[in-house]
């Protein structure tokens, strides 16, 4: 096996196999052993663990996990990397399997509660990191843990709360089910090729979910209230999707029952307010 800390060895491996790295697929290998070890240590691996890795690349972290986990599913789009992984990893570790293609589509063939792994992790391709994480949670596909390397600014968006400029629909979606922690920021030099942006390792731990409200309503409301950030709640609601499901007066009543004024903006409401409004909405009758 090659030394994954060595740019020279990575370049040689690619050259021998007639492969090139593609900017289009957000390919930046994690060449810092310390960062890789930290990521892996967060997975809480046991010989019972079912793990999904998104974007394994040439397997810098995958070999270690394959040795220690019960199963490892690898979601990769690059045909050249898939060939290498098949030759070097899958042929030696029967507990591994590659799912070829675009993760945004391929993971959906596992959309069944019994297929939810213990942990989903990866040094994510930055151009779709937010959509990947959002997709799992929107579909109620909730592993106990998710551990990712993502762009630093995206990590800040995931953790942001009310009245912060980074607070967004994605913050609400992620915080609905997960306690999110930015474990550390990693320097650009930990990657090859060196990316333009800084990165953070984040850990997302599944929380006990709040009940008494409809999840679908929460997501619709969050999307509506961030559809146009500067618009009032009232205006966003009128043109939003929640109003296609409920009569607008019923929605307005839920806000008044929750003591939240319609002249405010969605970014000023705490996640608890969103839940409270949805609870009132399921009770409200007009
Ligand atoms: N895990 C490796 C590492 O840390 O060295 C590579 C990480 S690299 C940032 C992102 C990986 O995601 C690449 O292997 C890339 O080919 C893969 N990838 C990019 N877009 C993808 C997609 N839509 N679906 C699946 N994999 C994708």
């Amino acid at each position: 096996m090659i030394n994954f800390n060595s740019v020279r060895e990575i370049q040689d491996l690619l050259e021998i196999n007639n492969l090139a790295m593609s900017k289009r697929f957000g390919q930046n290998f994690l060449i810092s052993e310390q960062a890789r070890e930290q990521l892996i240590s967060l997975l809480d691996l046991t010989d019972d663990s079912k793990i999904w890795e998104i974007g394994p690349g040439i397997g810098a972290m995958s070999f270690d996990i394959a040795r220690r986990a019960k199963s490892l599913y690898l979601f990769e789009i690059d045909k050249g990397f898939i060939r290498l992984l098949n030759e070097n990893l899958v042929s030696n570790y029967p507990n591994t399997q590659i799912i070829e293609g675009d993760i945004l589509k391929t993971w959906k063939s596992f959309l069944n509660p019994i297929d939810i792994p213990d942990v989903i992790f990866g040094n994510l391709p930055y151009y779709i990191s937010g959509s990947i994480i959002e997709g799992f949670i929107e579909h109620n596909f909730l592993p106990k843990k998710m551990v990712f390397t993502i762009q630093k600014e995206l990590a800040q968006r995931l953790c942001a709360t009310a009245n912060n400029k980074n607070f967004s629909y994605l913050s609400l979606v992620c915080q609905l089910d997960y306690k999110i922690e930015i474990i550390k920021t990693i320097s650009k030099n930990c990657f090859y090729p060196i990316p333009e942006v800084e990165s953070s390792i984040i850990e997302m731990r599944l929380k006990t979910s709040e009940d008494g409200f409809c999840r679908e309503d929460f997501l619709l409301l969050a999307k509506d209230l961030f559809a146009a950030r500067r618009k009032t709640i009232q205006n966003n609601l009128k043109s939003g999707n929640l109003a296609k499901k409920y009569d607008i007066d019923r929605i307005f009543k839920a806000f008044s029952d929750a003591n939240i004024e319609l002249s405010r903006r969605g970014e000023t409401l705490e996640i608890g307010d969103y839940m409270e409004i949805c609870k009132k909405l399921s009770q409200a009758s007009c």
Side-chain angles (χ1 to χ4, degrees), residues 187-231:
S187 128
K188 298 175 184 183
N189 297 323
C190 293
F191 297 90
Y192 167 75
I194 299 176
E196 280 155 23
V197 293
E198 277 195 302
S199 305
S200 298
I201 296 180
I202 59 155
E203 179 190 62
M204 302 175 63
R205 281 176 184 277
L206 189 63
K207 306 190 282 198
T208 328
S209 58
E210 285 248 357
D211 50 14
F213 66 94
C214 165
R215 225 185 133 76
E216 185 193 71
D217 291 353
F218 178 94
L219 296 172
L220 285 173
L221 179 67
K223 200 160 246 174
D224 284 353
L225 296 199
F226 278 95
R229 238 190 136 82
R230 310 307 298 169
K231 274 195 190 174

Side-chain angles (χ1 to χ4, degrees), residues 4 10 21-22 24-31 36 39 53-62 74-79 81 85 99-106 121-128 132 149 190-192:
F4 289 107
I10 292 172
M21 301 208 37
S22 144
R24 180 165 68 101
F25 287 147
Q27 293 174 346
N28 300 93
F29 292 150
L30 195 47
I31 55 169
R36 290 198 307 269
L39 244 133
E53 180 177 3
I54 301 171
I58 53 175
M61 293 181 275
S62 323
L74 306 141
F75 292 78
E76 179 54 64
I77 199 167
D78 187 299
K79 290 196 181 336
F81 296 169
L85 288 168
I99 292 82
E100 302 188 22
D102 179 0
I103 175 72
L104 292 176
K105 297 182 184 136
T106 54
F121 94 103
N123 169 21
L124 294 185
Y126 290 171
Y127 72 108
I128 45 168
I132 294 172
T149 306
C190 293
F191 297 90
Y192 167 75

